[in-house]
Amino acid sequence: DDEGKTDGPSFSSERLRQIEAYARPVDGVAVYDRLVKALAPSIYGMEDVKRGVLCMLFGGCARLRQSRDAADETPRSGGNTQAGQAPGARSRGDINVLMCGDPGTSKSQLLSYVHKIAPRGVYTSGKGSSAVGLTAAVTRDPETRELVMESGAVVLSDLGICCIDEFDKMSDMTRAVLHEAMEQQTISLAKAGIVATLNARASIFAAANPVDSRYNPKLSVVENIQLPPTLLSRFDLIYLILDHADRDADRRLAQHIVKLYEAPTTNGEAEAAAPVAGAADERFLRDYVAYARHRVHPELADEARQELIDAYVRMRGGGSSRPNRGRSITATPRQLEGMIRIAEALARMRLETRVVRADVLEAVRLMQVATLAAATDATTGLIDMDAINTGRTAADRAIHEGLCRELRRLVAARPRGAAV
């Protein structure tokens, strides 16, 4: 059968051969490393951020959690179920990424590049977005005078990526509508007699600046960005992009930027037209991502399942309690599901149908350098997910409880009738 005639994006036989050839290692370099170099080549460094963005582009597999009590049920769109099992709650496969950092760290450029190569998506700015602009609006048709519903940015990004710049400058009412879209991946609407539930199976790729324009490492990520903890915890990967002064790194960055302004030579143009085995342009990257998202649906191997369990248990034990510091939570089931989605995305990059142990190890590393680094308590040096989930660390709560306890003791010990 001709694969190009199946539902979804269609490709020519020549393009299919190029995609399959690109997925194979070249000179010992895996496709994962070549994709990192091909993604936004004008942006210097930020390799771990690019690896996380690549995982978001390819995404995991959306599944319907199955119930064996019923059979012959038809699954909803966006998920797969097995014969003889009824679908239950839907498990999202899209990965949400947040970039927070100092000004001038190429956050907006990376957003624009991802919007170009994403097979489907919408780019918007937080300052110029409203709640109905992100979800849906009910308007009256000028000709028929009937009420009609117009989709917003998140709904239009269904099965794609919604890029939101200046995420910190959104109003609280606008950000509140993203809670349902980022976890349940639906938008519920009840306006002017129209009651509907719209699909919003999109990844949210957002960029935010700290409150005082510069990130303060002495404060938590919630205090720096001033986003609601309930919204911040829904991001699978949270990258802190800080601008540190380093003479050698600054020189390499300046050389890279100056080189971008050089006039192209004949040899350079010839190299740009080289086969995709060594480099990839934006159009090929878009086709490669679309092919992998539509055709490749990896499953977890037994060794990958066991490694996921062991990694989650190790993460949970990383926040051992200290005297007078309280017990810190270092990982939650959301982090486990995030690692599963990242591991599936890594397998999709290779066009493989099985997630191996190496994918899980890389997923754990990406989680540690991103979200867990953002959740590190500045006072104790320990990882505490409560800094993201609740906005307060276990150490802060212990200090606050100790202060209240001491105040109560002092008030109880004072003589009756004495001034406080």
Side-chain angles (χ1 to χ4, degrees):
D1 294 339
D2 186 5
E3 293 181 352
K5 294 182 180 179
T6 59
D7 293 336
S10 59
F11 305 101
S12 63
S13 57
E14 177 64 24
R15 178 61 88 182
L16 290 176
R17 283 195 295 268
Q18 291 178 345
I19 291 174
E20 293 173 357
Y22 191 81
R24 292 191 289 267
V26 176
D27 297 331
V29 181
V31 63
Y32 180 37
D33 298 324
R34 284 184 284 126
L35 284 172
V36 172
K37 295 180 180 179
L39 180 67
S42 61
I43 299 177
Y44 174 78
M46 299 173 59
E47 288 199 359
D48 284 331
V49 179
K50 291 181 180 180
R51 293 177 191 273
V53 170
L54 276 175
C55 293
M56 177 194 65
L57 281 169
F58 286 87
C61 299
R63 289 184 174 83
L64 296 176
R65 295 170 184 168
Q66 300 152 356
S67 172
R68 299 179 183 273
D69 296 335
D72 299 331
E73 294 277 351
T74 303
R76 293 177 295 172
S77 60
N80 299 322
T81 186
Q82 299 177 0
Q85 295 176 337
R90 183 178 182 274
S91 176
R92 67 180 173 96
D94 298 294
I95 300 172
N96 301 318
V97 179
L98 172 66
M99 296 185 300
C100 172
D102 299 328
T105 51
S106 305
K107 298 188 299 295
S108 298
Q109 288 189 24
L110 190 56
L111 276 173
S112 301
Y113 192 88
V114 169
H115 174 63
K116 290 180 182 179
I117 66 175
R120 185 177 181 180
V122 175
Y123 182 94
T124 182
S125 177
K127 192 67 175 177
S129 301
S130 62
V132 295
L134 289 179
T135 56
V138 176
T139 59
R140 191 175 295 277
D141 188 271
E143 296 181 356
T144 63
R145 306 304 299 171
E146 294 182 354
L147 293 175
V148 294
M149 185 170 55
E150 297 181 357
S151 300
V154 179
V155 179
L156 292 175
S157 302
D158 186 39
L159 298 179
I161 297 174
C162 182
C163 300
I164 305 176
D165 201 1
E166 307 293 345
F167 192 66
D168 56 302
K169 296 177 179 58
M170 274 186 172
S171 64
D172 294 337
M173 184 178 296
T174 305
R175 284 196 295 253
V177 302
L178 294 176
H179 286 77
E180 180 187 1
M182 293 180 67
E183 197 63 39
Q184 281 77 35
Q185 295 199 307
T186 56
I187 295 293
S188 299
L189 186 70
K191 293 181 180 179
I194 297 178
V195 180
T197 300
L198 307 175
N199 284 327
R201 299 160 295 181
S203 297
I204 303 296
F205 186 29
N209 290 322
V211 177
D212 298 325
S213 294
R214 286 287 177 182
Y215 191 88
N216 187 356
K218 296 182 180 180
L219 301 178
S220 66
V221 62
V222 175
E223 295 172 326
N224 272 287
I225 316 176
Q226 289 191 353
L227 292 178
T230 53
L231 183 63
L232 201 60
S233 63
R234 283 170 165 79
F235 284 98
D236 299 285
L237 296 173
I238 302 174
Y239 285 101
L240 301 181
I241 307 175
L242 308 182
D243 186 10
H244 296 295
D246 182 87
R247 187 178 183 85
D248 296 334
D250 293 342
R251 181 175 295 277
R252 290 192 296 268
L253 174 61
Q255 291 174 349
H256 176 80
I257 294 176
V258 171
K259 190 175 181 180
L260 295 177
Y261 288 87
E262 292 181 356
T265 59
T266 305
N267 295 333
E269 294 175 353
E271 291 174 1
V276 294
D281 56 4
E282 294 180 4
R283 182 176 298 178
F284 177 78
L285 278 180
R286 188 186 304 116
D287 292 344
Y288 191 88
V289 171
Y291 178 87
R293 288 176 68 100
H294 181 68
R295 307 288 179 88
V296 183
H297 305 283
E299 297 288 342
L300 292 173
D302 293 337
E303 59 176 4
R305 295 174 188 269
Q306 188 59 43
E307 183 61 33
L308 278 168
I309 296 172
D310 296 341
Y312 179 67
V313 172
R314 288 196 302 269
M315 283 185 177
R316 293 284 292 184
S320 57
S321 58
R322 288 184 176 183
N324 302 324
R325 289 295 187 181
R327 176 72 185 185
S328 59
I329 302 299
T330 57
T332 63
R334 273 183 176 169
Q335 274 69 55
L336 177 59
E337 292 183 341
M339 289 188 296
I340 294 175
R341 289 189 285 266
I342 294 172
E344 291 174 345
L346 292 170
R348 270 183 167 175
M349 293 182 200
R350 305 189 312 272
L351 306 183
E352 295 285 346
T353 57
R354 290 181 67 82
V355 179
V356 296
R357 183 172 179 269
D359 297 327
V360 176
L361 293 177
E362 176 64 12
V364 172
R365 191 191 71 83
L366 290 175
M367 186 69 69
Q368 288 175 343
V369 300
T371 306
L372 298 185
T376 301
D377 188 357
T379 59
T380 63
L382 295 176
I383 297 172
D384 190 353
M385 288 305 300
D386 284 348
I388 294 177
N389 296 333
T390 66
R392 294 181 61 189
T393 63
D396 291 338
R397 288 198 306 272
I399 293 173
H400 184 265
E401 292 172 359
L403 181 60
C404 294
R405 187 168 53 251
E406 189 65 20
L407 285 175
R408 285 194 297 266
R409 187 187 65 81
L410 291 174
V411 171
R414 69 182 176 88
R416 185 179 296 275
V420 179

